[in-house]
């Protein structure tokens, strides 16, 4: 998963293939689902939402071969974004409704933040309200997810020619993404900042590059129930 966050697509796919072989050998649906989620997340971060949706939607589909409920729930926000960006709006809406039911049953600030982000991608009339809720609750999220909430809001504002309001969110996203070494998304934040008339430093090695594999897993993987 760390390679997926960093944007190292080839490495993410290679490690996922190794994990899938071991998971199938040991009958671990959890690890198999994690591997598929990692590849889908790498596709999404690389700007390939259609490919990401093809990977992520089966991970979230209850009853699909190899489905794991823990990973399926954790992957829902990624699947929603991939579906929206690839024009699969009906599927994104269905996933968001399912996510809302789960969040309503066991609400936390982190889950509410992710649900608000999903709704912001789908509800054009109330998008700003949902984006604001997402970033207001983003402190409950790990840096990768917090950065994406700010990035999506900044992009939304910039597309509406509200560059001054977009810049703080894009700066926050860039700082967080640079800090964890998520280069493709950090470069996306840089491009958005430039579009508002501001520049940002290019990305270098981040915190994830300095973590041990065990530390990466503890930060990036959902815990099994």
């Amino acid at each position: 998963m760390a390679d997926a966050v960093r944007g190292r697509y080839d490495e993410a796919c290679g490690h996922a293939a190794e994990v899938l072989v071991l998971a199938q050998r040991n009958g671990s649906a959890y690890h198999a689902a994690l591997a598929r989620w990692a590849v889908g997340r790498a596709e999404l971060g690389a700007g390939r939402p259609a490919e990401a949706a093809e990977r992520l939607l089966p991970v979230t589909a209850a009853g699909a071969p190899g489905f794991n409920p823990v990973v399926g729930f954790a992957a829902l926000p990624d699947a929603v974004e991939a579906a929206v960006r690839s024009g699969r709006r009906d599927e994104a809406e269905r996933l968001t409704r399912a996510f809302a039911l789960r969040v309503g049953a066991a609400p936390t600030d982190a889950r509410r933040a992710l649900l608000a982000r999903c709704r912001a991608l789908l509800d054009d009339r109330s998008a700003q309200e949902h984006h604001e809720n997402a970033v207001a609750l983003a402190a409950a999220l790990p840096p990768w997810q917090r950065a994406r909430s700010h990035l999506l809001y900044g992009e939304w504002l910039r597309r509406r020619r509200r560059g001054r309001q977009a810049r703080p969110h894009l700066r926050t996203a860039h700082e967080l993404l640079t800090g964890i070494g998520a280069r493709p998304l950090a470069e996306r934040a840089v491009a958005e900042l430039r579009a508002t008339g501001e520049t940002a430093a290019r990305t270098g090695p981040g915190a994830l590059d300095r973590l041990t594999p065990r530390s990466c897993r503890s930060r990036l993987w959902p815990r099994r129930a």
Side-chain angles (χ1 to χ4, degrees):
M1 189 65 77
D3 284 322
V5 169
R6 291 178 180 129
R8 297 175 179 172
Y9 178 75
D10 291 339
E11 291 89 340
C13 289
H15 291 151
E18 294 172 2
V19 171
L20 277 171
V21 169
L22 292 173
Q24 290 167 357
R25 183 181 302 163
N26 298 324
S28 174
Y30 171 79
H31 287 99
L34 269 180
R36 295 187 179 99
W37 179 24
V39 176
R41 178 174 275 189
E43 296 276 17
L44 187 60
R48 295 191 285 266
E51 292 84 349
E54 289 297 323
R55 301 277 190 180
L56 293 168
L57 291 174
V59 173
T60 64
F67 174 75
N68 177 268
V70 175
V71 179
F73 177 65
L76 273 168
D78 290 339
V80 168
E81 183 178 344
V84 170
R85 288 181 174 273
S86 59
R88 300 170 71 163
R89 190 178 183 89
D90 289 347
E91 289 170 281
E93 290 174 345
R94 175 182 57 78
L95 290 174
T96 300
R97 288 193 297 270
F99 192 49
L101 289 174
R102 294 285 301 275
V103 173
T108 66
D109 282 352
R111 291 174 177 179
R112 289 167 55 215
L114 293 171
L115 177 59
R117 192 172 80 199
C118 291
R119 286 173 167 164
L121 294 170
L122 288 163
D123 187 348
D124 295 333
R125 287 183 297 179
S126 302
Q128 181 163 356
E129 178 184 351
H130 293 310
H131 275 302
E132 288 178 352
N133 288 338
V135 298
L137 294 166
L141 297 171
W144 158 258
Q145 293 285 18
R146 189 159 71 247
R148 288 173 65 199
S149 293
H150 282 282
L151 177 59
L152 288 170
Y153 191 20
E155 289 176 330
W156 185 88
L157 289 166
R158 201 275 303 167
R159 287 196 300 269
R160 284 152 184 79
R161 301 180 184 275
R162 295 161 64 181
R164 182 177 297 179
Q165 293 171 278
R167 285 174 197 141
H169 296 289
L170 295 171
R171 289 189 207 113
T172 297
H174 179 257
E175 290 167 5
L176 289 167
L177 292 164
T178 300
I180 61 173
R183 294 182 185 87
L185 284 182
E187 291 298 330
R188 190 167 120 192
V190 168
E192 290 289 334
L193 277 167
R194 287 174 179 157
T196 71
E198 183 172 317
T199 59
R202 293 183 65 84
T203 58
L208 283 183
D209 295 294
R210 299 188 293 273
L211 292 176
T212 65
R214 182 183 295 274
S215 298
C216 285
R217 287 195 296 272
S218 68
R219 291 193 180 199
L220 299 172
W221 289 13
R223 294 182 179 179
R224 282 178 281 188

